[in-house]
Amino acid sequence: MEALLLGAGLLLGAYVLVYYNLVKAPPCGGIASLRGRTAVVTGANSGIGKMTALELARRGARVVLACRSRERGEAAAFDLRQESGNNEVIFMALDLASLASVRAFATAFLSSEPRLDILIHNAGISSCGRTREPFNLLLRVNHIGPFLLTHLLLPRLKACAPSRVVVVSSAAHRRGRLDFTRLNRPVVGWRQELRAYADSKLANVLFARELATQLEGTGVTCYAAHPGPVNSELFLRHVPGWLHPLLRPLAWLVLRAPRGGAQTPLYCALQEGIEPLSGRYFANCRVEEVPPAARDDRAAHRLWQASKRLAGLGPGEDAEPDEDSQPEDSRAPSALSNPHPEDPTVSEPYPSPQSSPDLSKVTRRIPVKAESERQGS
């Protein structure tokens, strides 16, 4: 009996160490109020994306949930409005597997929303499921779609600078090895899926790195964020059903809740003073070094050029701001104002276009990552 109790105690102690050192996510603070700001979160109908959108809404931002499923997206928007007390949470359709859908989303957004301060690429897939496409579906959804969306929305991001782009990546990028001769070949079988997923996450890290180079001096900064081991829909989506009863309790014990997974993406979106770290990779709300393949500037630039081709961007589609893309007044109110609407039952169609604080100079307050449906990181 004593040996049994000792073994149980050792197991409990080991779990506590693992939980507090590897599972529990540090809470991230940053800007207390986002009133007058607009954020887009892809794959925000569940999991990390939904928790990310919830925190942004609680801080007063106008939040656009960019999701593939209208039914789930509208339901999530309703939930978030109720939970946050912020009526400025809306759904807009976006299917990252379809370049036409990405362009349609960008057109609709730019014609209806005068601001864009935060763009969070949370959506992603880990497997092709039963879908068979004549292209690399994992690369399309996890990288090419977000690349195109960023490119199309850059004029608005620049006009509202200081602004931020956050790309939700994964520690799986460490296993990635991009083969530019096979970049867009269809993925068949689970072994190829594992490789393609890691490659797409490496592409996320290289994209953030090259984007930071391309945007230097514009006031737009970008970051790659690893949410950590998260118990989200993505974890069990492609696991055989008979394994779910066994894996669910295990996932509850050793994986973070989606709210914990949202902390690092939120840190990258909101934390003041990290502008000099644009292009870097973050995990557990701090910068983390990446392997040589993920800091290869030549590979990052080559991926940028290949991505433009795969996204169907022509030489005349360089994203430069023009007069029509600029809001009438790109300023927003102080970051120290009340993060919640005074009357949550009444909302205006757009955020109040008043003075926008510099993300690097606001005061830190209040402490506070998926992947959803087919697109969830």
Side-chain angles (χ1 to χ4, degrees):
M1 178 60 72
E2 291 181 357
L4 185 62
L5 290 174
L6 178 61
L10 289 173
L11 284 174
L12 180 60
Y15 173 72
V16 170
L17 287 173
V18 169
Y19 178 80
Y20 281 99
N21 286 279
L22 299 176
V23 178
K24 182 176 173 61
C28 299
I31 300 171
S33 173
L34 296 173
R35 293 195 66 175
R37 310 281 189 87
T38 298
V40 170
V41 184
T42 67
N45 63 280
S46 67
I48 299 168
K50 189 174 183 180
M51 292 299 100
T52 301
L54 174 61
E55 186 59 37
L56 295 172
R58 281 176 169 166
R59 298 186 186 211
R62 177 173 174 84
V63 184
V64 178
L65 312 185
C67 311
R68 183 172 61 95
S69 167
R70 175 170 296 277
E71 180 181 359
R72 298 178 68 186
E74 293 282 12
F78 177 82
D79 291 344
L80 294 178
R81 288 192 293 267
Q82 294 294 308
E83 192 167 349
S84 68
N86 180 353
N87 278 348
E88 298 290 331
V89 181
I90 66 170
F91 160 81
M92 291 183 68
L94 171 66
D95 182 355
L96 289 169
S98 166
L99 299 182
S101 175
V102 175
R103 288 181 175 275
F105 173 89
T107 299
F109 179 88
L110 293 173
S111 66
S112 63
E113 300 292 330
R115 296 194 59 87
L116 179 55
D117 303 273
I118 300 170
L119 173 59
I120 301 181
H121 293 297
N122 164 80
I125 59 173
S126 61
S127 168
C128 300
R130 297 179 180 179
T131 304
R132 292 294 175 261
E133 301 285 0
F135 50 82
N136 184 335
L137 183 62
L138 282 104
L139 188 75
R140 171 71 67 85
V141 172
N142 295 353
H143 170 64
I144 299 299
F147 174 90
L148 176 60
L149 182 61
T150 303
H151 190 95
L152 297 173
L153 297 181
L154 268 181
R156 189 59 48 83
L157 285 162
K158 291 177 179 179
C160 297
S163 53
R164 294 188 180 181
V165 179
V166 180
V167 186
V168 177
S169 184
S170 165
H173 81 272
R174 299 181 182 278
R175 304 192 305 270
R177 294 294 182 270
L178 293 178
D179 182 350
F180 288 96
T181 65
R182 304 169 56 91
L183 204 57
N184 201 37
R185 292 195 181 182
V187 176
V188 179
W190 64 270
R191 288 185 178 86
Q192 288 190 19
E193 287 183 343
L194 288 175
R195 167 68 185 272
Y197 177 74
D199 290 351
S200 71
K201 295 292 108 178
L202 173 59
N204 292 155
V205 179
L206 290 173
F207 171 47
R209 188 177 184 89
E210 179 66 15
L211 185 62
T213 300
Q214 298 276 343
L215 296 178
E216 188 173 357
T218 65
V220 184
T221 53
C222 50
Y223 312 88
H226 172 40
V230 178
N231 183 14
S232 67
E233 287 187 5
L234 202 66
F235 174 67
L236 293 174
R237 185 177 302 156
H238 306 299
V239 173
W242 61 272
L243 278 176
H244 286 197
L246 176 64
L247 292 178
R248 286 189 188 278
L250 183 64
W252 183 81
L253 286 171
V254 302
L255 299 180
R256 292 176 180 172
R259 187 183 301 276
Q263 297 309 302
T264 298
L266 285 166
Y267 179 92
C268 292
L270 304 176
Q271 183 62 37
E272 62 272 18
I274 64 171
E275 291 79 9
L277 300 173
S278 181
R280 300 292 295 275
Y281 172 84
F282 285 73
N284 291 316
C285 300
R286 61 178 181 265
V287 172
E288 187 171 290
E289 293 303 319
V290 295
R295 57 177 188 267
D296 184 334
D297 289 329
R298 292 181 62 185
H301 184 70
R302 188 177 180 185
L303 176 65
W304 181 277
Q305 298 301 324
S307 300
K308 288 181 67 175
R309 176 175 55 81
L310 293 175
L313 290 168
E317 290 190 274
D318 291 331
E320 294 296 336
D322 51 53
E323 294 181 0
D324 293 336
S325 71
Q326 308 240 2
E328 293 180 4
D329 185 348
S330 61
R331 298 171 300 169
S334 167
L336 300 179
S337 59
N338 182 1
H340 301 294
E342 294 179 3
D343 183 359
T345 64
V346 179
S347 62
E348 299 174 359
Y350 306 112
S352 167
Q354 302 171 13
S355 123
S356 177
D358 189 326
L359 286 167
S360 66
K361 297 180 180 178
V362 294
T363 304
R364 183 176 184 175
R365 293 177 55 192
I366 308 177
V368 223
K369 334 182 139 358
E371 305 175 2
S372 60
E373 46 179 285
R374 184 168 98 182
Q375 312 160 22
S377 153

